[in-house]
Amino acid sequence: MELQVEQIVTWMEKTNEKIQDNKEYLTSLDQAIGDGDHGINMARGFKEVVQKVSGSDYESASDILKDVAMTLMGKVGGAAGPLYGTAFLKLSASVKGKKSIDCGSFVTGLEEALAGMKQRGKSEQGEKTLIDTWAPVTEEMKKAEDFDASLLFETAKTAMEKTKDIKATKGRAAYLGERSIGHLDPGSVSSYYLFTSLAETIRGGE
Amino acid sequence: MELQVEQIVTWMEKTNEKIQDNKEYLTSLDQAIGDGDHGINMARGFKEVVQKVSGSDYESASDILKDVAMTLMGKVGGAAGPLYGTAFLKLSASVKGKKSIDCGSFVTGLEEALAGMKQRGKSEQGEKTLIDTWAPVTEEMKKAEDFDASLLFETAKTAMEKTKDIKATKGRAAYLGERSIGHLDPGSVSSYYLFTSLAETIRGGE
Amino acid sequence: MKKIINNPEEVVQDMLKGLIAAHPNSLKQIPNTTVIVRKGAPVPNKVGIVSGGGSGHEPAHAGYLGEGMLDAAVCGEMFTSPTPDQVFEAIKAVDSGSGVFLVIKNYTGDVMNFEMAAELAEAEGISVEKVVVNDDVAVEDSSFTTGRRGIAGTVFVHKIAGAKAAAGGSLQEVKDVAEKVVANVRSMGMALTPCTVPAAGKPSFTLDEDEMEIGIGIHGEPGIERKKLTSADEVAEELTQKVLDDIKFNSGDEVAVMINGMGSTPEMELYILNGKVQEILHERGLTIHKTFVGEYMTSLEMAGCSVTLLKLDKETKQLLDSDSNAPAFHS
Amino acid sequence: MKKIINNPEEVVQDMLKGLIAAHPNSLKQIPNTTVIVRKGAPVPNKVGIVSGGGSGHEPAHAGYLGEGMLDAAVCGEMFTSPTPDQVFEAIKAVDSGSGVFLVIKNYTGDVMNFEMAAELAEAEGISVEKVVVNDDVAVEDSSFTTGRRGIAGTVFVHKIAGAKAAAGGSLQEVKDVAEKVVANVRSMGMALTPCTVPAAGKPSFTLDEDEMEIGIGIHGEPGIERKKLTSADEVAEELTQKVLDDIKFNSGDEVAVMINGMGSTPEMELYILNGKVQEILHERGLTIHKTFVGEYMTSLEMAGCSVTLLKLDKETKQLLDSDSNAPAFHS
Ligand SMILES: Nc1ncnc2c1ncn2[C@@H]1O[C@H](COP(=O)(O)OP(=O)(O)O)[C@@H](O)[C@H]1O
Ligand SMILES: Nc1ncnc2c1ncn2[C@@H]1O[C@H](COP(=O)(O)OP(=O)(O)O)[C@@H](O)[C@H]1O
Ligand SMILES: [Mg+2]
Ligand SMILES: [Mg+2]
Ligand SMILES: [Mg+2]
Ligand SMILES: [Mg+2]
């Protein structure tokens, strides 16, 4: 299958729904090891994304992804804003001009998104950040032949849950040192919503 | 009987004891309809009074009363400080040069103390202030032939308790208007301690 | 009670120690008193300006010491008027021979103690005049009662009387302009939480999570009415309206506005309130000459605010605007 | 949560409205942004100084707008770094052609957003330099982690970089002196109570009536250690010692001291703390050039404080002392 513009819209809508529904949960995760705004920031950003892309006419997948990127960059703020913004900007650039995205191109896009976030955040896998969800998802999808909803669900879930055991060395949770262990990384949980929404979108389109 | 210097010392010591023991109670009364410092202020003042007069050698009753006045004036602060200070200053002036005080002179002194407080406080009886304890005590003592402990106990107690029913028109409690009804006036309660301590002193000396 | 203090009975002494340590070049404490005097006082040929009252209202009153404002601040015990001897020391310390002016907030204790000090000073040949500030419209003004309290509006009196003195005004001129300010300044406050006097250990009243108290004073006294907590806009409406109702404002009148925080209300909330207050004043046709948003007259860690309006004329406007280096007077 | 607000999601917008209403002659808001610029900016031939970050730290950052300090403040959402487009607007608004200097607090979000804005500006031919302030010794400094946070010490960087720019310093000279300040400023904070972000509705941590949290940041983050509440003197010892241990201070060094209130701690308590801090510094043989006691970098209504020391040299001392009319910078 290939991701069409309408599916990207659906992906964003589903992500927004999950984020709005879990706004308080995300905030409470961030209150535990950060500053308690992650839910508020993501909810503000994705609400705008959906307002921007729903009903709009996009010629290409890269165009809509660029708008998603710019909206997140301009509305989320904090650490998550530039990171998610960078991710979608890289994803968009990587599929530049493409009307729709096949799995191979998507994976290349994810790889560039991941590299972009690492560079922007000066971070690596294993530091208890959303990188810890994006990296395994990218890796597993690379092995698959086509979009695979179950694989996405599972990988994102396992990766997100694993962040509980990591001692943070980047982001605000790093200030807590050892005390950060035992808590989920809020950014990984929002990324988990992003990827499960993608999985649901794929499932709908399979 | 006549009040001797030693009895005035006892009077002050007893008053101090009661005030220290009821510091929190006085403060809580003042919290209800004032600013919650009456117990603190009176305790600070009488502690100093006792430090000043206990063990000191006074030639005359008027001298010790003057020291009491100056100490209260300089240590209590708030509304109570100048009022109690004025009262003892007038009392001292009224018995000027006297080694000891007979009942008649004491009553004259009380009358002058009361007049001084009224003038200083621009207040009259019936405004829910310590005047409402001092006025009846002065009046009843005027009728008696000698110092009368029982009379003092009773009059001070009744007068103090009556302040509960008065609507305040002077002092901080006046800000509460009708809401001041149902609460004892803190200054009347501290005055009650002063007069019952006097009564106990008299009883000891009878 | 959670406080950064040592002995609860010695908070005022400890505070003054830290205050002098922070400002050794501009302030001094008269030994064995709680009187803080600005260095350079008495200023030759200038009327000395003294204010003060109970402590717990910081930055009032020591924060207003400076050129063009106060010369001495008498710091009483927590929420307790200072005693006559202390005020007398302050008067003596700032008299240059041109007389001393006392700015008193209208509380029985303050009035009595400052008056007694004035009598002591006059007995020693120092000319003393005074003004009693009573800007709080929460309290009924009546000649049969204690009358309105003095709250945040007092800071405008400090500034304008201080500026008049700095400009060479005589004792009588300082008094006249101070009385003009008092006649034209009104305030109204509210609280979301009470405050706790260290030595008392517990707050003077309690409020539920959804309640506010309207018409509070600045000593943790309960207010005049308890209500359900409303929005900032509604609070602005209520406080501003009460102030506007109290003296006649005509369209075109120029006013100074003070949005005063009671202690723990974040500046953010004060600015939110200010947005609506300004709207109301504009609708009313008033010209806002200057706005002060911040903590000017607090009540320890009480959460809440007050709104003050001062109707200006040419003289008071110019005196309000004149320079002062008092650290706490800034907008 | 008891707050004087309207819609919890719109506190920043409402605050900015009230801020501009209060200071119409000195401040302006760039339309459709949360950027506040001082009137008169860009100042011809002067390096523009931009700072900012999440809101909730008032008077930071808009209170530091003024001659000799900041030219623009970028106000993010509550405790949330502003976005690159906003910072970019600020940069454009204050560039006179002499370049723009960014004062960034060391938080991942702030660093990323400000860096992206700098990239946008450079792409349009504006020279941009920056400094990242990391004064908080509560957090370990390590190149493998996020590193120390930027807290109250940032205000000294605003002042000194701003003064250098006002004195005609080039972009590089401003950067050099700012880096010198960063290398010489250290802070440590503590809290007695947490704070509540309006849209979150509940505090980020809770503390028992007898507990304090040492090493807190300025965003309601939990600190590094929870302890039984001690006396002001012990708090002073603990915070000051941590700061003194972090960089080498020699006897005779001149320092500036900041005792910063986190939001709801009364000034009285800050002065009490200051008394002991000064004693410790004197014992250590340090010369205290200037002391700042008050609320400079808050965390909404958090109760608590921080102690900041800045080691001075001739240049930084003179720049710290130079005039500024920024309303929130006073001692
Ligand atoms: N350096 C970094 N690299 C990658 N991700 C990061 C980094 N710093 C923070 N994050 C992610 O951002 C999330 C926090 O986002 P958010 O709460 O919106 O921002 P802030 O920390 O500025 O308040 C963290 O949970 C983490 O996943
Ligand atoms: N005008 C007045 N005349 C007489 N007594 C007064 C007056 N005002 C207050 N008082 C007395 O003073 C008491 C309060 O004293 P205190 O709490 O020490 O002072 P403050 O009210 O200044 O805090 C009141 O309970 C009342 O009895
Ligand atoms: Mg966060
Ligand atoms: Mg009282
Ligand atoms: Mg009192
Ligand atoms: Mg944040």
Side-chain angles (χ1 to χ4, degrees):
Chain A
M1 65 160 292
E2 301 216 340
L3 277 184
Q4 311 293 333
V5 165
E6 308 82 74
Q7 282 173 306
I8 295 174
V9 172
T10 308
W11 178 21
M12 291 303 115
E13 288 172 344
K14 282 180 185 291
T15 306
N16 179 47
E17 230 168 78
K18 287 202 211 315
I19 290 206
Q20 302 301 339
D21 289 351
N22 292 287
K23 181 175 161 185
E24 257 111 78
Y25 173 60
L26 287 172
T27 291
S28 72
L29 291 175
D30 197 32
Q31 283 193 317
I33 55 170
D35 60 349
D37 58 0
H38 190 60
I40 301 166
N41 296 346
M42 294 299 287
R44 185 175 51 239
F46 271 92
K47 189 179 150 197
E48 287 280 337
V49 164
V50 167
Q51 259 170 26
K52 179 93 195 167
V53 304
S54 293
S56 289
D57 250 13
Y58 285 98
E59 287 284 303
S60 70
S62 64
D63 283 358
I64 179 170
L65 290 171
K66 185 163 183 210
D67 267 10
V68 170
M70 295 313 293
T71 307
L72 291 175
M73 195 89 88
K75 290 293 166 186
V76 176
L83 290 167
Y84 277 105
T86 299
F88 277 92
L89 209 57
K90 295 289 182 183
L91 189 56
S92 161
S94 162
V95 299
K96 184 144 187 124
K98 291 211 166 96
K99 272 188 82 101
S100 62
I101 322 174
D102 61 39
C103 187
S105 312
F106 191 79
V107 168
T108 310
L110 278 189
E111 288 179 315
E112 293 189 6
L114 184 58
M117 288 196 291
K118 283 181 173 177
Q119 193 192 8
R120 185 53 75 192
K122 301 184 183 74
S123 49
E124 288 299 326
Q125 201 174 340
E127 304 204 89
K128 200 181 187 108
T129 70
L130 39 74
I131 302 292
D132 294 311
T133 298
W134 283 71
V137 164
T138 307
E139 207 170 309
E140 291 304 314
M141 277 191 73
K142 200 172 171 178
K143 296 181 197 155
E145 305 205 328
D146 200 355
F147 289 106
D148 179 344
S150 312
L151 180 87
L152 255 177
F153 271 125
E154 255 168 61
T155 314
K157 184 150 194 276
T158 314
M160 173 272 280
E161 284 171 348
K162 262 200 186 152
T163 63
K164 204 166 191 164
D165 307 327
I166 305 174
K167 177 182 150 185
T169 50
K170 285 285 152 66
R172 273 172 215 285
Y175 306 139
L176 293 177
E178 298 288 336
R179 285 212 271 171
S180 67
I181 297 171
H183 296 275
L184 291 172
D185 168 52
S188 288
V189 177
S190 60
S191 297
Y192 162 74
Y193 295 141
L194 183 78
F195 289 121
T196 50
S197 299
L198 177 61
E200 288 172 13
T201 306
I202 291 160
R203 192 156 278 174
E206 262 166 7
Chain B
M1 68 162 287
E2 302 215 345
L3 278 184
Q4 311 293 333
V5 165
E6 307 84 72
Q7 281 172 307
I8 295 175
V9 172
T10 308
W11 178 20
M12 291 303 115
E13 286 171 345
K14 283 182 186 289
T15 306
N16 179 47
E17 230 168 77
K18 287 202 211 316
I19 290 205
Q20 302 300 337
D21 289 350
N22 292 286
K23 181 174 163 185
E24 257 111 77
Y25 173 60
L26 286 173
T27 290
S28 73
L29 290 177
D30 197 32
Q31 283 193 317
I33 55 169
D35 60 350
D37 59 359
H38 190 60
I40 302 166
N41 296 346
M42 294 298 288
R44 185 177 50 240
F46 271 92
K47 189 178 150 198
E48 288 281 336
V49 164
V50 167
Q51 261 170 26
K52 180 90 194 168
V53 303
S54 292
S56 290
D57 249 13
Y58 285 98
E59 287 283 302
S60 69
S62 64
D63 283 358
I64 178 170
L65 289 172
K66 186 165 182 207
D67 266 10
V68 170
M70 294 316 291
T71 307
L72 292 175
M73 195 90 87
K75 291 293 166 185
V76 176
L83 290 167
Y84 277 105
T86 299
F88 277 92
L89 210 56
K90 295 288 182 182
L91 189 55
S92 160
S94 162
V95 299
K96 186 147 185 121
K98 290 209 166 96
K99 273 189 79 101
S100 61
I101 321 175
D102 61 40
C103 186
S105 311
F106 191 77
V107 169
T108 310
L110 278 188
E111 286 179 313
E112 293 188 8
L114 183 59
M117 289 197 289
K118 284 182 174 179
Q119 194 194 8
R120 185 53 75 194
K122 301 184 185 75
S123 49
E124 287 300 324
Q125 200 175 341
E127 305 204 87
K128 200 182 186 109
T129 69
L130 40 75
I131 302 292
D132 293 312
T133 298
W134 283 71
V137 165
T138 307
E139 208 170 310
E140 291 304 314
M141 278 192 72
K142 201 172 169 178
K143 295 183 199 156
E145 305 204 332
D146 200 356
F147 289 105
D148 178 343
S150 312
L151 179 88
L152 256 177
F153 273 123
E154 254 167 63
T155 314
K157 185 150 194 275
T158 314
M160 175 271 280
E161 284 172 349
K162 262 201 187 152
T163 63
K164 204 166 192 164
D165 306 326
I166 305 175
K167 178 181 148 185
T169 49
K170 285 285 152 62
R172 273 172 215 284
Y175 306 140
L176 294 177
E178 298 288 336
R179 285 212 271 170
S180 67
I181 297 171
H183 297 274
L184 291 173
D185 167 52
S188 289
V189 177
S190 59
S191 297
Y192 162 73
Y193 296 142
L194 182 78
F195 289 121
T196 50
S197 299
L198 178 61
E200 290 171 11
T201 307
I202 292 162
R203 192 156 281 172
E206 262 167 9
Chain C
M1 180 181 69
K2 296 184 90 167
K3 290 178 185 290
I4 305 172
I5 58 173
N6 297 306
N7 182 345
E9 311 272 349
E10 285 168 15
V11 287
V12 174
Q13 286 68 23
D14 285 355
M15 167 180 77
L16 297 180
K17 184 183 122 192
L19 178 75
I20 294 298
H23 308 291
N25 301 323
S26 53
L27 302 181
K28 61 180 187 240
Q29 182 170 6
I30 303 182
N32 303 316
T33 74
T34 56
V35 179
I36 307 293
V37 179
R38 72 177 173 98
K39 286 201 174 165
V43 180
N45 303 317
K46 190 185 87 69
V47 170
I49 312 277
V50 173
S51 189
S55 292
H57 307 302
E58 292 67 35
H61 299 84
Y64 301 120
L65 292 170
E67 280 162 38
M69 219 160 162
L70 303 183
D71 295 292
V74 195
C75 308
E77 289 294 326
M78 284 301 317
F79 292 163
T80 299
S81 172
T83 54
D85 50 320
Q86 304 276 316
V87 180
F88 181 36
E89 289 296 329
I91 293 172
K92 284 190 288 185
V94 306
D95 180 41
S96 67
S98 302
V100 175
F101 188 68
L102 308 180
V103 181
I104 310 172
K105 294 196 277 342
N106 189 30
Y107 298 97
T108 314
D110 284 309
V111 172
M112 288 192 293
N113 285 293
F114 277 76
E115 275 179 356
M116 290 172 87
E119 290 163 18
L120 292 171
E122 276 162 353
E124 292 213 0
I126 303 177
S127 310
V128 179
E129 286 290 352
K130 64 172 202 285
V131 72
V132 178
V133 188
N134 62 347
D135 54 320
D136 186 357
V137 302
V139 175
E140 206 198 340
D141 190 24
S142 143
S143 49
F144 302 109
T145 72
T146 301
R148 293 191 312 252
R149 298 176 286 219
I151 55 173
T154 309
V155 178
F156 285 138
V157 183
H158 291 161
K159 177 62 178 74
I160 290 171
K164 188 76 189 180
S170 69
L171 187 54
Q172 185 60 44
E173 286 168 338
V174 170
K175 182 182 161 79
D176 289 344
V177 79
E179 280 180 345
K180 184 157 65 178
V181 176
V182 170
N184 285 287
V185 67
R186 293 292 185 279
S187 304
M188 177 85 184
M190 59 82 71
L192 298 177
T193 69
C195 60
T196 301
V197 169
K202 57 185 172 55
S204 40
F205 60 92
T206 52
L207 283 170
D208 278 346
E209 192 48 40
D210 64 343
E211 285 179 336
M212 61 180 181
E213 183 98 2
I214 301 286
I216 44 94
I218 52 171
H219 301 86
E221 309 99 315
I224 54 163
E225 198 188 347
R226 192 158 292 191
K227 285 197 167 186
K228 286 268 166 278
L229 181 57
T230 58
S231 70
D233 284 357
E234 286 165 281
V235 171
E237 290 273 9
E238 172 147 17
L239 300 185
T240 312
Q241 203 50 57
K242 281 258 170 59
V243 169
L244 285 171
D245 288 348
D246 202 82
I247 35 174
K248 207 172 145 52
F249 287 97
N250 295 311
S251 180
D253 278 351
E254 279 195 278
V255 293
V257 180
M258 179 175 284
I259 310 292
N260 174 56
M262 299 307 295
S264 68
T265 289
E267 202 174 284
M268 169 176 276
E269 296 175 33
L270 300 179
Y271 276 117
I272 292 175
L273 189 86
N274 180 55
K276 184 66 184 180
V277 171
Q278 303 264 331
E279 230 175 79
I280 296 166
L281 299 179
H282 282 306
E283 273 165 27
R284 182 69 177 248
L286 299 178
T287 301
I288 296 156
H289 172 64
K290 210 161 188 173
T291 305
F292 298 80
V293 178
E295 294 182 351
Y296 297 95
M297 181 70 74
T298 64
S299 188
L300 287 174
E301 74 286 354
M302 179 177 270
C305 62
S306 62
V307 172
T308 299
L309 292 187
L310 166 63
K311 194 157 93 176
L312 295 164
D313 66 8
K314 200 166 156 254
E315 181 188 27
T316 51
K317 193 164 90 174
Q318 182 245 311
L319 293 169
L320 181 66
D321 289 348
S322 72
D323 281 346
S324 163
N325 63 4
F329 190 76
H330 51 83
S331 70
Chain D
M1 180 181 68
K2 296 185 91 168
K3 289 178 185 291
I4 304 172
I5 57 173
N6 297 306
N7 183 344
E9 312 272 349
E10 286 168 15
V11 287
V12 175
Q13 287 68 23
D14 286 356
M15 168 181 74
L16 297 179
K17 186 183 121 192
L19 178 74
I20 295 297
H23 308 291
N25 301 323
S26 53
L27 303 180
K28 61 182 187 234
Q29 182 170 7
I30 303 183
N32 303 316
T33 73
T34 55
V35 178
I36 308 292
V37 179
R38 73 176 171 100
K39 287 202 172 163
V43 180
N45 304 318
K46 189 185 87 72
V47 170
I49 312 277
V50 172
S51 188
S55 292
H57 306 302
E58 292 65 35
H61 300 84
Y64 301 119
L65 292 170
E67 283 162 37
M69 219 160 162
L70 304 183
D71 295 294
V74 195
C75 308
E77 288 294 327
M78 284 301 317
F79 292 162
T80 299
S81 171
T83 54
D85 51 319
Q86 303 276 318
V87 180
F88 182 36
E89 290 297 329
I91 293 172
K92 285 190 290 186
V94 306
D95 180 41
S96 67
S98 302
V100 174
F101 188 68
L102 307 180
V103 181
I104 310 172
K105 292 194 280 338
N106 190 31
Y107 298 97
T108 315
D110 284 308
V111 173
M112 290 193 291
N113 285 293
F114 276 76
E115 275 179 356
M116 291 171 88
E119 290 162 19
L120 292 170
E122 275 161 354
E124 293 212 1
I126 303 177
S127 309
V128 178
E129 286 290 353
K130 63 171 203 285
V131 72
V132 179
V133 188
N134 62 346
D135 54 318
D136 186 358
V137 302
V139 175
E140 205 199 341
D141 190 22
S142 142
S143 50
F144 303 109
T145 72
T146 302
R148 292 192 311 253
R149 298 174 287 217
I151 56 173
T154 309
V155 177
F156 285 138
V157 183
H158 292 160
K159 178 60 179 71
I160 290 171
K164 187 76 189 179
S170 69
L171 188 53
Q172 185 60 43
E173 287 168 337
V174 171
K175 183 182 161 78
D176 289 344
V177 79
E179 281 179 345
K180 184 158 63 176
V181 176
V182 170
N184 286 287
V185 68
R186 293 294 186 275
S187 303
M188 177 85 184
M190 60 81 71
L192 297 178
T193 70
C195 60
T196 301
V197 170
K202 56 184 172 57
S204 39
F205 60 90
T206 51
L207 282 171
D208 278 347
E209 192 49 38
D210 63 344
E211 285 178 338
M212 62 180 180
E213 182 98 4
I214 300 286
I216 44 96
I218 52 170
H219 302 87
E221 309 100 316
I224 53 161
E225 196 189 349
R226 191 157 294 189
K227 286 196 165 187
K228 286 270 168 274
L229 180 57
T230 58
S231 70
D233 284 356
E234 286 165 281
V235 171
E237 289 273 11
E238 171 146 20
L239 300 185
T240 311
Q241 203 50 56
K242 282 257 168 59
V243 169
L244 285 171
D245 288 348
D246 202 83
I247 35 174
K248 208 172 143 53
F249 287 96
N250 295 311
S251 182
D253 278 351
E254 279 196 278
V255 294
V257 180
M258 180 175 283
I259 310 292
N260 174 55
M262 300 306 293
S264 68
T265 289
E267 203 175 284
M268 170 176 274
E269 295 176 33
L270 300 178
Y271 276 117
I272 292 175
L273 189 86
N274 180 57
K276 185 66 185 180
V277 171
Q278 303 263 332
E279 230 177 79
I280 297 167
L281 299 178
H282 282 304
E283 273 165 27
R284 183 69 178 248
L286 299 178
T287 301
I288 296 155
H289 172 62
K290 209 162 187 172
T291 305
F292 298 81
V293 178
E295 294 183 351
Y296 296 95
M297 182 70 76
T298 64
S299 189
L300 286 174
E301 74 287 353
M302 180 176 268
C305 63
S306 61
V307 172
T308 299
L309 292 188
L310 166 63
K311 195 157 91 175
L312 295 164
D313 66 8
K314 200 165 155 250
E315 181 188 27
T316 50
K317 193 164 93 173
Q318 182 245 312
L319 293 169
L320 180 67
D321 289 348
S322 72
D323 280 346
S324 163
N325 63 5
F329 191 76
H330 51 84
S331 68

